[in-house]
Amino acid sequence: MVRKRVLSGVQPTGALHLGNWLGAIRNWVELQKNHETFVCVVDLHALTVPNDPKILSENTISTAALYIACGMNPKECSIFVQSQISAHSELCWLLNCVTPLNWMERMIQFKEKSIKQGDNVSIGLLDYPVLMSADILLYDADLVPVGEDQKQHLELARDIAQNRINSRFGTKKNPILKVPQSLILKEGAKIMSLTEGNSKMSKSDPNENSRITLLDSPDLIAKKIKRAKTDAEVGLEFDNPNRPEANNLLTLYSILSGLGREVVAKECATMGWGEFKPLLAEATIAALTPIQSRYNGLMNERDELNNILKIGRDQAEEVADATLKRLQNAMGLLSRS
Ligand code: TYM
């Protein structure tokens, strides 16, 4: 039986945090068991915000190592670096030429990020979701496991594939691109900031106490949790819209401890914050310690890591080049042979 295909990626813009792991990578680890899975480090996307070149390449390797440390198995999936496969940029151009500008101006993340960049908004930032569509469509992905914040970008990829490529250049019987579906977990799809329960945990938040990164030391984790914003009530509960911090920290605890929502809701129903926070810190440290020790081992084996990325690149390139060629032909570009 042909396995369904999965594609996803994370930007190497800084240390990955609990949101990236619990909202996305955790899901990839399960999916790789019975899907053909491609995961890439999307370094071209990282260029849309100001970057130090040395730090970018180091972050790219470190992000790949974290994928593996979190449980991505190079024997079961393909792990690669986006910029090493030129088809991503080439497909992006083809898609650019059929995507209306006003679709891009509507993108929520573009609006948010462009406010922060003031007069320096690059075309790359505007075009970012088209590049992301190219990432997905190149692999004929059936499923794209992401956190909730990527939902609108996934809709765009579907729209481009269906309404701008297949309906113009393909036929019903012979569509050119596969129309992908997003896969968003029920729990963990939107992990919130530790310092503001109504904002999502984000790599770009200037306040480092707002997030726990996968590489934070046990002391730092305990400190960040101790400082996390709370409210004045005793007894913790899920889903009370007036208590976003309680919902977020309980969600973290239920996933990281592995106890699940029901058990945690009961255990914490009468608990005060002073009793709860050490429990959450302990569960977080216990969950991250094995990831950190695998990560440290991998970062000391650079040759091995580079070899994994090379194998992943070869596997990915074969699929990507075939899709690119299909679309080039359909759009009337003269083939090379
Ligand atoms: P990025 O790098 O911002 O985030 C990577 C993944 O982590 C998820 N995520 C979260 N999930 C839950 N709670 C949070 N607070 C949280 N913050 C981030 C994101 O939803 C994402 O799944 N555009 C993408 C990268 C990308 C991509 C792709 C993803 C480029 N091409 C193709 C999938 C397929 C991004 O910026 O993710």
Side-chain angles (χ1 to χ4, degrees), residues 51-314:
N51 252 301
D52 177 333
K54 275 202 201 105
I55 294 179
L56 177 59
S57 52
E58 195 52 29
N59 278 345
T60 300
I61 282 283
S62 147
T63 302
L66 273 173
Y67 287 180
I68 301 167
C70 287
M72 293 311 289
N73 179 352
K75 295 205 171 85
E76 291 187 47
C77 70
S78 306
I79 304 172
F80 63 98
V81 176
Q82 179 194 33
S83 65
Q84 295 185 348
I85 297 186
S86 58
H88 287 254
S89 311
E90 292 181 68
L91 183 62
C92 180
W93 178 256
L94 301 185
L95 303 183
N96 276 340
C97 294
V98 295
T99 305
L101 182 60
N102 66 355
W103 287 11
M104 310 312 297
E105 287 164 339
R106 291 205 290 262
M107 295 286 123
I108 299 164
Q109 285 207 346
F110 171 70
K111 288 190 203 160
E112 286 172 358
K113 288 188 182 169
S114 57
I115 289 173
K116 286 189 200 149
Q117 294 190 10
D119 284 343
N120 248 334
V121 177
S122 68
I123 292 173
L125 189 69
L126 179 71
D127 201 27
Y128 175 115
V130 181
L131 179 60
M132 178 164 164
S133 299
D135 300 340
I136 296 164
L137 300 174
L138 270 181
Y139 296 91
D140 287 329
D142 297 282
L143 298 171
V144 185
V146 282
E148 209 169 278
D149 60 343
Q150 297 301 318
K151 209 169 167 178
Q152 195 187 28
H153 291 160
L154 253 298
E155 280 306 314
L156 178 85
R158 288 169 56 82
D159 265 356
I160 293 177
Q162 211 155 18
N163 302 321
R164 296 284 151 165
I165 299 292
N166 290 346
S167 65
R168 287 189 187 180
F169 304 102
T171 59
K172 255 207 169 133
K173 257 196 169 163
N174 276 320
I176 295 165
L177 297 174
K178 168 80 68 68
V179 180
Q181 278 185 353
S182 59
L183 195 67
I184 297 175
L185 284 169
K186 275 210 185 88
E187 213 179 18
K190 195 168 186 190
I191 299 295
M192 309 310 276
S193 152
L194 297 184
T195 47
E196 175 47 62
N198 286 314
S199 314
K200 85 171 178 176
M201 186 176 282
S202 153
K203 288 187 215 128
S204 60
D205 190 325
N207 183 354
E208 294 199 358
N209 288 325
S210 67
R211 60 186 166 269
I212 291 175
T213 84
L214 302 188
L215 299 176
D216 281 350
S217 69
D219 280 354
L220 191 56
I221 293 170
K223 203 149 83 192
K224 286 180 178 174
I225 290 176
K226 204 167 175 190
R227 288 193 184 153
K229 187 174 172 195
T230 55
D231 54 31
E233 296 192 33
V234 176
L236 303 177
E237 57 189 328
F238 285 105
D239 296 333
N240 180 338
N242 299 320
R243 304 186 67 196
E245 287 81 18
N247 186 61
N248 188 42
L249 296 183
L250 274 188
T251 300
L252 285 178
Y253 181 54
S254 78
I255 302 174
L256 293 169
S257 66
L259 292 171
R261 274 170 77 93
E262 266 179 42
V263 173
V264 163
K266 254 192 215 149
E267 184 189 354
C268 304
T270 54
M271 218 179 248
W273 289 106
E275 195 183 344
F276 172 74
K277 281 186 165 182
L279 283 181
L280 174 59
E282 200 183 308
T284 309
I285 293 164
L288 292 184
T289 302
I291 292 179
Q292 295 180 357
S293 73
R294 281 196 295 269
Y295 169 83
N296 290 329
L298 281 158
M299 289 300 275
N300 285 327
E301 299 281 347
R302 290 292 180 111
D303 288 349
E304 171 65 13
L305 210 46
N306 285 330
N307 198 36
I308 289 170
L309 292 176
K310 185 178 174 308
I311 294 170
R313 183 183 79 209
D314 290 345

